[in-house]
Structures are given as C-alpha cells and as structure tokens.
Amino acid sequence: MSKIKTAFFCKNCGAQSPKWIGKCPSCLSWNTYEEEVIHKDNENKSLDKLADKKNIKPTLIDEISPRNETRIDSKNNEVNRVLGGGIVPGSLILIGGEPGIGKSTLMLQMALELSHLKVLYITGEESDQQIKMRAERINLSHSKCYVLTETITQYIFKHIETLNPDIVIVDSIQTLTTNVLDSSAGSISQIRECAAELNRFAKQTDTPVFLIGHITKDGTIAGPKILEHMVDTVLQFEGDRNYIYRILRSTKNRFGSTSELGIFEMLNSGLREVSNPSEILISQFDEPLSGIAISATIEGMRPILIETQALVGSAAYGTPQRSATGFDLRRLNMLLAVLEKRCGFKLGIKDVFLNITGGIKVDDPAIDLGVVVAVLSSSEDIPIASKTCFAAEVGLSGEIRAINRIEQRITEAEKLGFKTIFVSKYNFQKSDGKNYKIKVIPVGKIEEVFTALFR
Ligand code: TYD
Ligand code: MG
C-alpha cells in the first residue's frame, strides 16, 4: 500500500526537512516551515537525470567553443536595456511585481510587438477573452501570437511540442502545477518543480521563457527564494499605482548588468517607453517657484534630471513634522541637522516636507545638494534661478563632496538646456580642462552655495 509522503519546506528559502522545525537552519528565519505532500517516486528522478547525461564528459575550458551570443531583439528598448541588450536564447526570466502594476500588460505588449516570432502566451489567471480584451486595449495585432489557458505543465509541453514557439510567456508561475507532485498550485514544491521543468525546456530547446511571479506583502517574490536562484534573470516591475510611471529593474542578471533601469508610462492604451525620463520628471512652470531644485542623478547607467520639492513652515503643533517621499527620511534629518549646526538655520522648529516628483525613489547621494537647496529656497521663500541644477553629496560638516560620473551628469544637464550646474570643487579639479557650454560652478561648502543663490 502506498503511503503519502510529506516533508516540510521553509517558505523563505525552500530548505527541506523531514520534520517540522521552528527555526530554519539554512536561512535562520523563524516559523517558516510548512508541510507539503511530495510524490514518492520523486527520489528516483535525480538518478534518471544522471543516466540521461551519461554521455557528458568533463571538458577543458579552453576547448569549449564560445557561443556567439545572438540576442533576440524584444522590440522594446526599455526591456532590451534592462536585459542587457536583448533576450538571450534559452534564458529563463522571472518578472515580479505587485498585483495590478502591469506585468501582464508588459508581457502581452512585448509578445504582440514581436511580430517576427511565434509567441506562446500561457495564462492560468485569465481567460483568453480577457487576454483578447487587453490586446485590443493595447491596440496591437500579431498573426503568430498564440494564447493557451492551461495550468498543467505536462499538457503545456504537449502543446509546445506541436506549436514549436520561439518565445514562451507564462502568466503566472504560481498558477502552474505538475502531475509529478500532488501538492496544490502555488505551493513551494509546485513552484519549484514547474520552474525546474520550464528551465530544462528552455535550456534544451534554446527557447527563452518569461515567468510572471507574484509579490507578497513583504515585497519578495511569492514562493521560495530558490525560484530566484533557478532563473537567469530576475526583473522587478515597480511603481506607485497612483502615478503613471512604472520602473523595470533587474535584481539579478546572468547576462548583463543589474544597474540598468527601464521607465514606462502606463497609458490607457498600454505602456509607453519613456526614452528621455528627465523631460517628464521636471515640471514646467511659467514663473519660478520657491522650494524647487533640480538634481542630476544617475539611475543605472543613465543620467536623469529629477526635481525635488520642499516645503518648510512653522511647526503648528509643538513637535515639528518631517516627511519625505522618494527620499530617505533619516538622510533628510541628517541634512537638516547639518544646516542647523553648520549654517545656523533654525530648522529645528520648522515642519519640513520633501517630495521627489514623479513618484520615483532616489538613493543616489548626489541628490543631497538639491535637497538642501530646495529646503533653503522654501525656507527663504526665494526661487532658484531657472535653468540651474545640482549634483553633489553633502557631508556632515557641511562640505560639498565629490560624486561619481560627474561628466555624464554635466553633459546631460547641458543637453537638456540647463545654464548652470553646481558641483563639488573636488570633482571639478579632476574634470577640469573640459569645455562645457553649461556654466559649472565648483563649490566647497554649503555657505558658498547659499551666498551664490540667495544673497
Ligand atoms: P495588469 O497587466 O493586469 O497587472 P498585473 O498583471 O501586474 O496584475 O494591469 C494592471 C493595471 O493596468 C490595470 O489596473 C489597468 C491598467 N491598464 C492601463 O491603465 N492601460 C492599459 O492599456 C492596460 C492594458 C491596463
Ligand atoms: Mg496579471
């Protein structure tokens, strides 16, 4: 008589244990073990795999012929950029994001844009009518894009065999189940096994596979971390649902850098690539307003000019309030303390609100000077001269520190028609000798910036 075999898996890291334990020995988190049914002939599989691979021998690294990497153009510049120059054949790509952020839209739009390839869009979440409705909204048509509503991997592979697609998209990995296991869809063992099957398929046939994955409340891709280990690339699609901007960034990429960033705008007719983010992140005003400063930051490899808005007012209720959107609050408090101590501004009794426009988050230290200047401008109620921007870090003693890739930032500001940029004098010593059309003002201390702007 066959007996159902179960094991316990850590929700966090996917480690396995024959009995329940309170603390995971592998990732040290507490209370993460859950019971899962595992199929009894599971163990034999690894032996089978070994048998399959008997003809594989160790090879000298010098004798392995390098594959000339031909990447598939995804027809979407932002996706290409984030993937490191296009889709690598045979790669398994995971796209994570909160519900409703636009993962399905992004993938369907990419599928429909790949009009020269045969695309298979597998959905376990929506009906084919729903997909069709979305496609109509995006308003793209494609003669070789197939939609399959199926969740059992064995059937999916049968369809794939007859269809022979060039690209496979799975929406979402949490809905898939494999016959090999008895546990329910979305459980750790199912996610892991389905991803492993798809990975094997991708590697054997050189077909790229995109997996959509849900994100849990605490921001991790639902399912064990092991999913992130198995795939070649992990992309995060993020953004504030109240804003129209969406950011695609890679947190792991075996075929490119992880510092790249793709920016999209969610419109009524799908996602639009934003190729020049600076233009949309800087608001246009007829007259200069106080409390606004523009900083030259770098996101990934791209310089971007973003706007910081500050509002400084008297604290109405004893305790002053500090709030920051898109910027680290502790860093804001630190900058305010520097202003108070080194420059004698009595900001301790003021409310300070800070906002990075466009709903994006910045952690580039080069934005410090822009933040400080926006606060000062609001506090003094004097607008900053138009076409002026900033790129420097502020140190604890009020010194203006050097930052990386200053030339790139200056060039971007110049390109966008800025007339003046404040940088650290320590930066400027190095980049000296270059001739910019933009006026580069090297400064060493906050006081110098203050005098130059407001006196
Ligand atoms: P969706 O791709 O279904 O999100 P996910 O798969 O990540 O859960 O789309 C989410 C939102 O995008 C939805 O609330 C509607 C909006 N949307 C648009 O604004 N314009 C469009 O063209 C489409 C297709 C969706
Ligand atoms: Mg979806």
Side-chain angles (χ1 to χ4, degrees):
M1 211 180 81
S2 75
K3 193 171 158 281
I4 293 174
K5 199 177 163 211
T6 61
F8 292 83
F9 289 93
C10 171
K11 271 191 293 186
N12 190 36
C13 69
Q16 188 182 352
S17 155
K19 60 177 184 7
W20 189 85
I21 35 182
K23 186 181 181 186
C24 175
S26 135
C27 67
L28 305 181
S29 48
W30 284 91
N31 210 9
T32 52
Y33 273 79
E34 271 183 9
E35 188 170 21
E36 301 259 345
V37 178
I38 49 174
H39 208 270
K40 56 180 180 341
D41 58 21
N42 220 359
E43 289 101 355
N44 300 339
K45 272 194 352 211
S46 53
L47 284 179
D48 288 349
K49 252 189 273 167
L50 267 184
D52 281 348
K53 289 188 175 167
K54 261 192 185 141
N55 55 350
I56 293 179
K57 283 195 293 288
T59 321
L60 282 171
I61 191 157
D62 284 347
E63 285 169 12
I64 302 173
S65 50
R67 202 167 76 173
N68 42 357
E69 201 186 69
T70 44
R71 293 198 183 220
I72 302 166
D73 179 6
S74 72
K75 299 279 172 194
N76 186 318
N77 290 332
E78 303 295 300
V79 173
N80 277 349
R81 183 205 311 282
V82 176
L83 288 176
I87 308 166
V88 175
S91 61
L92 189 64
I93 300 154
L94 177 68
I95 298 204
E98 283 174 28
I101 205 77
K103 302 177 295 296
S104 308
T105 310
L106 177 69
M107 283 295 102
L108 185 64
Q109 189 164 339
M110 192 189 77
L112 294 175
E113 278 167 351
L114 285 167
S115 50
H116 57 302
L117 297 175
K118 200 192 271 179
V119 188
L120 177 61
Y121 189 102
I122 300 162
T123 172
E125 306 224 315
E126 290 160 306
S127 65
D128 34 10
Q129 271 85 22
Q130 279 172 302
I131 304 285
K132 178 70 186 168
M133 271 162 62
R134 184 175 289 133
E136 273 172 358
R137 230 179 136 174
I138 298 172
N139 202 11
L140 284 170
S141 65
H142 185 317
S143 54
K144 283 186 294 178
C145 178
Y146 295 84
V147 176
L148 173 66
T149 42
E150 178 60 74
T151 54
I152 298 170
T153 52
Q154 276 74 16
Y155 298 144
I156 289 176
F157 286 124
K158 261 192 204 136
H159 289 295
I160 287 179
E161 230 166 78
T162 45
L163 199 62
N164 202 11
D166 300 314
I167 278 197
V168 175
I169 296 168
V170 178
D171 188 3
S172 63
I173 181 73
Q174 275 91 358
T175 56
L176 293 193
T177 49
T178 166
N179 280 340
V180 182
L181 301 173
D182 297 333
S183 51
S184 60
S187 66
I188 301 156
S189 43
Q190 283 288 2
I191 290 177
R192 183 168 38 187
E193 188 55 35
C194 295
E197 284 176 11
L198 286 163
N199 194 24
R200 236 172 286 145
F201 158 74
K203 297 288 174 299
Q204 278 165 5
T205 59
D206 255 358
T207 313
V209 178
F210 284 84
L211 302 177
I212 293 180
H214 293 278
I215 269 189
T216 53
K217 277 204 201 83
D218 54 357
T220 54
I221 294 174
K225 265 259 177 288
I226 201 145
L227 192 53
E228 293 181 31
H229 292 305
M230 280 160 75
V231 301
D232 299 304
T233 305
V234 181
L235 304 181
Q236 293 274 5
F237 202 38
E238 54 193 44
D240 196 322
R241 252 188 289 170
N242 300 323
Y243 290 93
I244 54 173
Y245 304 115
R246 300 283 182 271
I247 291 171
L248 185 69
R249 63 172 95 233
S250 80
T251 52
K252 165 185 175 178
N253 194 351
R254 286 191 183 144
F255 312 109
S257 111
T258 53
S259 56
E260 280 299 357
L261 194 91
I263 302 181
F264 297 89
E265 211 176 341
M266 180 63 98
L267 303 176
N268 263 334
S269 53
L271 291 155
R272 188 182 75 88
E273 298 166 32
V274 176
S275 44
N276 187 0
S278 306
E279 270 172 16
I280 54 157
L281 293 173
I282 299 173
S283 25
Q284 313 291 330
F285 300 108
D286 297 337
E287 49 183 303
L289 302 171
S290 70
I292 294 181
I294 291 165
S295 312
T297 72
I298 295 221
E299 275 287 355
M301 302 304 280
R302 264 198 296 187
I304 298 181
L305 273 89
I306 56 154
E307 183 180 303
T308 314
Q309 298 188 332
L311 178 66
V312 179
S314 308
Y317 311 99
T319 330
Q321 290 189 56
R322 267 83 207 271
S323 112
T325 316
F327 189 71
D328 184 15
L329 184 59
R330 276 178 301 176
R331 185 129 193 119
L332 174 64
N333 281 330
M334 187 210 92
L335 293 174
L336 295 179
V338 171
L339 282 180
E340 178 120 26
K341 171 94 180 173
R342 306 286 168 191
C343 314
F345 289 97
K346 292 276 167 282
L347 291 166
I349 47 162
K350 302 274 177 118
D351 285 342
V352 180
F353 303 98
L354 191 81
N355 184 22
I356 308 284
T357 53
I360 66 167
K361 284 194 190 66
V362 187
D363 49 13
D364 181 8
I367 189 184
D368 281 0
L369 187 58
V371 169
V372 164
V373 166
V375 169
L376 291 178
S377 160
S378 175
S379 167
E380 299 289 303
D381 204 15
I382 303 175
I384 293 159
S386 65
K387 303 281 174 210
T388 303
C389 63
F390 305 87
E393 187 182 341
V394 176
L396 283 181
S397 23
E399 82 274 22
I400 309 289
R401 303 170 59 117
I403 44 162
N404 60 3
R405 294 195 269 162
I406 189 75
E407 286 89 357
Q408 234 178 315
R409 299 174 200 255
I410 297 177
T411 316
E412 177 73 6
E414 187 178 81
K415 212 165 75 192
L416 289 166
F418 280 81
K419 298 273 187 297
T420 320
I421 183 166
F422 284 81
V423 301
S424 162
K425 68 176 182 195
Y426 307 105
N427 256 140
F428 199 61
Q429 284 164 355
K430 278 183 232 150
S431 70
D432 210 348
K434 274 224 173 136
N435 264 333
Y436 296 107
K437 270 199 258 104
I438 188 171
K439 191 171 164 206
V440 183
I441 304 183
V443 281
K445 280 198 170 138
I446 290 200
E447 294 92 309
E448 292 169 34
V449 185
F450 185 76
T451 333
L453 287 172
F454 306 114
R455 287 279 174 269

